[in-house]
Amino acid sequence: MVSSTHWLASQSAMAVLEDGGNAFDAAVAGAFVLHVVEPHLNGPAGEVPILLAPAGGEVRVLCGQGVAPAGATVAHYQGLGLDLVPGTGPLAAAVPGAFDAWLLLLRDHGTKSLDEVLTYAIGYAGHGHAPVENVGATVERVRPLFETEWTSSAEVYLPGGKAPRPGALLRNPALAATWQRLLAETARAGGREARIDAAREVWRSGFIAEALLRQSRRPTLDTSGERHTGTLTEADLAGWSAAYEAPVTYDWNGWTVCKAGPWSQGPAFLQQLALLPPELPAYGSADYVHLLIEGCKLAMADREAWYGDAAEVPLAELLSDGYNAGRRALLGAEASYDLRPGSPGGRVPRLPAKARAGGGLPHEPGFNSMGVGEPTVMGAAGEPEVAADGTTRGDTCHLDVVDRWGNMISATPSGGWLQSNPVVPELGFPLGTRLQMTWLEEDLPNSLTPGRRPRTTLTPSLALCDGVPVMAFGTPGGDQQDQWQLHFFLAAVLRGPVRGGLDLQGAIDAPNWHNDAFPSSFHPRGHRPGSVTVESRMPTAVVEELRRRGHGVTVGPAWSEGRLCAVARDPETGVLSAAANPRGMQGYAVGR
């Protein structure tokens, strides 16, 4: 079974399974197709956290999040007159991580050759594919930037001056040529594993590395309104590789949920579980939604104060029963408007200055001047909000696979968006911008620090029952990911089975919601205290009760919250299942 955010990626991954490949082969093939068909949401020079559960083995995290280059110091950026890392341009580029992670996965856990897994991406890049509407919409928003500054991007995404549109083939011949040259240069490397390692070396120090560095050194207009060069060097690219690590886990009602570490926002999902009382209100009631909103605010406040790769994170305390019992006492009957991090182990929390100052976003439709919600229809939250300067308020892709042997994988590839940096002309894809998630203040857990990972929003999930992997799931959506995933998980496990198994599709389809009451991980890092955005399918009585409790509720379109994917394997029967998100009309689940 395969589920992903794009039908071509799902079907390509399924073709690998049909050809005898395993879940890991299929995931790699699907991931490289996602680079082609969702270029506004991910690319090879982006990043990816991967959770994998080999049949009969231990769950592991494969970290494809690159680190800050050696020259990316707070002092350097402040010396340029910056108080935030730009949301676009080479200054925001971490060491690219996605490509190496996918190839390491293929080498260690796959069975197929590099040629076999790349053939689908090469075909769609070279011969073309019919793009989804949001590729063209994204390009139109940044058209002036592409036409006047990022002209290499215009060559790919504005051929003949026209933005991509559904029904007309979009080609990226430079990307196809990059992978074909990579295959040609590594053809004599020896066996399957040796060739994969040779390709990784080409990325680090060969023609791909050389082109990435040339692009990083070109003065590039970014969201600061100035032209800057990046900090990437040969040593940065050559010295980093993807790596395996243990997941962070939490046990809840017979389930064990596995997430990436606090360099991601993954533990915020686990903290939300830890904050739940022993007895939950009725599923879908106003009490239930209020409880989850307020618990999310507390978990995300702790994310801001404690998560990151630049300091030791007191994770054991943050997930402990005693700590969360104390935090749970803060959950009142009314909506909270303050950012309230806790003090695990008696430590004193320290928030970034922008968070302490409020950092609120401007008045928008859906909120009056007091921040109280008015019934206003907003755009879909499951797609990125892209400004004319390329600033993107987060989104990405997702991919889950389970095979006949019980291998299971969940991955959330992101970054390297077409709107994040100019396309590298020789390669057909841009650098990423993940450093925008760090702070230009010293001594914070998420301070910009050379050799350290920026705290990412990317957060795939694996859930085990009685120690056996049962479900892989995830969603795009930036800061919303661990909100939508929690709602999905609880819907899947609380509402009872369907046809003898988990009701994955029903849990994905259930009305969803999110709040922005904490600092955004994306430039310009604002937040909306008291905000809640709900789908219009949520019962009117629930919406009105939330407003009565002080929540600033914005009512969005009926199918606008989340882009979830999921696969599952019944541990008793071995029966596989999958489901995909109907929102946006492009997610796709397939299997047999």
Side-chain angles (χ1 to χ4, degrees):
M1 290 282 179
V2 182
S3 179
S4 88
T5 48
H6 196 286
W7 64 87
L8 290 179
S10 294
Q11 193 57 57
S12 298
M14 191 65 206
V16 173
L17 295 176
E18 295 276 10
D19 194 44
N22 66 21
F24 310 116
D25 297 312
V28 176
F32 277 89
V33 171
L34 285 173
H35 297 159
V36 179
V37 299
E38 291 195 299
H40 60 313
L41 303 177
N42 81 135
E47 45 275 329
V48 59
I50 301 169
L51 269 70
L52 60 148
E58 297 285 327
V59 175
R60 300 291 287 169
V61 174
L62 176 51
C63 175
Q65 174 57 65
V67 299
T73 65
V74 170
H76 174 65
Y77 286 63
Q78 289 178 340
L80 296 171
L82 299 170
D83 61 356
L84 289 174
V85 177
T88 62
L91 270 181
V95 176
F99 177 89
D100 193 66
W102 289 119
L103 263 64
L104 188 62
L105 176 71
L106 181 67
R107 187 197 72 181
D108 294 347
H109 297 279
T111 65
K112 293 291 188 179
S113 69
L114 197 56
D115 302 70
E116 289 173 304
V117 297
L118 285 178
T119 185
Y120 307 93
I122 291 172
Y124 288 123
H127 299 297
H129 69 283
V132 296
E133 287 87 345
N134 276 296
V135 175
T138 301
V139 172
E140 284 292 358
R141 290 187 192 105
V142 295
R143 175 188 284 271
L145 180 66
F146 280 16
E147 291 179 333
T148 60
E149 294 282 345
W150 296 8
T151 54
S152 60
S153 298
E155 290 177 11
V156 176
Y157 293 107
L158 286 169
K162 296 180 179 179
R165 62 181 178 84
L169 291 180
L170 172 62
R171 296 179 176 86
N172 189 340
L175 179 57
T178 295
W179 300 146
Q180 288 166 332
R181 180 176 173 183
L182 179 73
L183 293 176
E185 288 197 4
T186 59
R188 295 192 181 93
R192 192 187 76 91
E193 291 83 0
R195 189 178 187 195
I196 293 170
D197 279 336
R200 295 171 69 206
E201 284 305 312
V202 171
W203 179 276
R204 289 194 190 100
S205 58
F207 79 92
I208 295 177
E210 292 168 358
L212 292 173
L213 290 168
R214 280 194 297 271
Q215 185 62 50
S216 178
R217 291 163 182 162
R218 290 189 179 109
T220 301
L221 183 68
D222 59 37
T223 55
S224 71
E226 303 291 334
R227 291 176 179 82
H228 294 115
T229 57
T231 60
L232 276 174
T233 66
E234 289 86 349
D236 293 319
L237 288 175
W240 183 87
S241 65
Y244 298 98
E245 58 189 55
V248 179
T249 64
Y250 186 78
D251 296 331
W252 183 83
N253 282 13
W255 290 86
T256 299
V257 181
C258 303
K259 302 289 279 186
W263 53 268
S264 76
Q265 72 172 359
F269 181 108
L270 308 182
Q271 279 194 260
Q272 289 176 86
L273 283 178
L275 284 162
L276 295 176
E279 297 293 328
L280 292 178
Y283 175 83
S285 65
D287 286 341
Y288 176 86
V289 177
H290 172 78
L291 174 69
L292 266 58
I293 293 168
E294 292 302 300
C296 174
K297 292 175 184 177
L298 293 178
M300 289 302 196
D302 277 343
R303 184 194 76 165
E304 287 309 306
W306 300 110
Y307 290 18
D309 199 34
E312 194 70 29
V313 179
L315 203 54
E317 290 93 338
L318 288 167
L319 296 178
S320 68
D321 291 341
Y323 176 77
N324 285 289
R327 298 286 278 159
R328 196 179 302 125
L330 298 176
L331 300 174
E334 303 294 320
S336 61
Y337 276 65
D338 296 324
L339 197 64
R340 299 179 291 174
S343 300
R347 299 170 180 84
V348 178
R350 182 174 174 216
L351 291 169
K354 196 170 181 66
R356 297 195 305 272
L361 293 174
H363 172 76
E364 295 185 5
F367 289 88
N368 63 26
S369 60
M370 299 299 291
V372 178
E374 299 164 350
T376 305
V377 174
M378 303 287 284
E383 287 290 339
E385 300 173 28
V386 180
D389 62 3
T391 301
T392 302
R393 189 169 166 262
D395 208 354
T396 178
C397 309
H398 190 78
L399 175 72
D400 299 311
V401 188
V402 60
D403 64 25
R404 70 194 78 176
W405 301 286
N407 298 303
M408 190 176 290
I409 183 170
S410 181
T412 309
S414 187
W417 306 308
L418 69 85
Q419 66 275 16
S420 65
N421 257 302
V423 165
V424 183
E426 306 93 323
L427 302 179
F429 58 84
L431 287 162
T433 55
R434 194 59 59 173
L435 292 186
Q436 68 177 288
M437 298 189 169
T438 61
W439 294 103
L440 295 184
E441 293 180 56
E442 300 285 7
D443 302 322
L444 296 172
N446 193 32
S447 296
L448 177 65
T449 308
R452 297 290 185 173
R453 294 166 289 191
R455 190 204 70 215
T456 177
T457 55
L458 308 176
T459 173
S461 301
L462 268 168
L464 290 69
C465 208
D466 297 323
V468 179
V470 171
M471 183 165 51
F473 57 98
T475 180
D479 293 299
Q480 287 82 45
Q481 289 179 33
D482 279 321
Q483 301 183 58
W484 292 330
Q485 288 186 69
L486 178 73
H487 309 161
F488 159 80
F489 175 74
L490 293 177
V493 303
L494 291 177
R495 300 191 311 164
V498 60
R499 295 182 183 174
L502 292 166
D503 183 10
L504 299 181
Q505 194 64 55
I508 287 175
D509 292 353
N512 219 321
W513 67 91
H514 82 275
N515 82 88
D516 295 303
F518 49 88
S520 169
S521 297
F522 297 89
H523 186 91
R525 312 302 296 269
H527 66 283
R528 301 179 180 93
S531 72
V532 179
T533 303
V534 305
E535 291 181 328
S536 62
R537 294 181 296 127
M538 185 171 284
T540 301
V542 173
V543 173
E544 291 307 313
E545 175 60 16
L546 292 175
R547 287 185 171 137
R548 191 193 68 79
R549 295 184 182 207
H551 295 281
V553 180
T554 296
V555 177
W559 296 89
S560 57
E561 290 287 312
R563 291 178 63 207
L564 283 144
C565 302
V567 300
R569 181 179 186 273
D570 188 302
E572 295 183 2
T573 65
V575 171
L576 309 181
S577 58
N581 178 53
R583 301 162 177 89
M585 299 296 289
Q586 67 183 71
Y588 191 63
V590 60
R592 77 179 183 113

